[in-house]
Amino acid sequence: MSEDKYKLDKEDLIALLSSYMQILPPRWESFQSYVNIYVTLILGLFTVVIAGVKDFNTFPFNLLLLIGCYLIWILSKYAKETIKRQNSHIKELIVVIAKLEYQLGLYNKLEKRNDLAENEPWSD
């Protein structure tokens, strides 16, 4: 099979670059929204639990406080996974954009570094 069949020409690279550049800002905004929502929810639950510690001796209220602590833990785990997933997706987009920009020749040659095996990024 010929490898030339899978190579992209300059117009295709420009189209890919422009589409990835359009995807990145909404992804970044949704990432920030996720962070804000989860921080607000977790801090709100934490505040309610801390404020209710003074009434921990009454029966139904102390059970709700224990459930609140458990909810904070579950929400924190879910928020951590969601934010990590969004963050890795944004990093992947940035790497693809940088590679496309380099292949289009939008950057000058890199400075020579002797400590690297390759001086060209993503040579493979």
Side-chain angles (χ1 to χ4, degrees):
M1 224 179 201
S2 171
E3 287 187 26
D4 293 336
K5 178 180 170 183
Y6 298 111
K7 290 202 177 203
L8 299 174
D9 57 355
K10 194 169 188 170
E11 291 81 21
D12 293 335
L13 291 173
I14 292 171
L16 274 175
L17 180 63
S18 66
S19 67
Y20 282 127
M21 292 292 281
Q22 290 175 357
I23 291 172
L24 186 60
R27 293 290 180 170
W28 178 251
E29 289 173 7
S30 68
F31 171 74
Q32 290 175 332
S33 296
Y34 278 119
V35 171
N36 290 338
I37 289 169
Y38 287 127
V39 166
T40 304
L41 284 174
I42 291 169
L43 284 178
L45 279 172
F46 185 71
T47 304
V48 168
V49 168
I50 293 298
V53 168
K54 65 180 173 72
D55 294 330
F56 192 73
N57 293 334
T58 59
F59 168 65
F61 199 66
N62 58 6
L63 187 60
L64 290 175
L65 288 177
L66 293 175
I67 291 172
C69 293
Y70 187 67
L71 283 175
I72 290 171
W73 181 73
I74 290 174
L75 188 61
S76 298
K77 295 284 280 183
Y78 182 73
K80 180 181 173 184
E81 291 300 317
T82 305
I83 289 170
K84 277 175 52 176
R85 212 172 317 123
Q86 289 284 330
N87 189 33
S88 67
H89 182 69
I90 289 171
K91 287 179 182 178
E92 288 172 0
L93 282 173
I94 290 170
V95 168
V96 169
I97 288 171
K99 185 173 183 175
L100 287 171
E101 287 174 345
Y102 182 79
Q103 287 181 351
L104 284 169
L106 298 178
Y107 294 113
N108 295 332
K109 288 291 183 186
L110 297 174
E111 295 178 10
K112 291 281 186 183
R113 289 184 55 183
N114 296 330
D115 58 340
L116 296 176
E118 300 272 341
N119 280 322
E120 181 179 329
W122 307 285
S123 58
D124 294 334

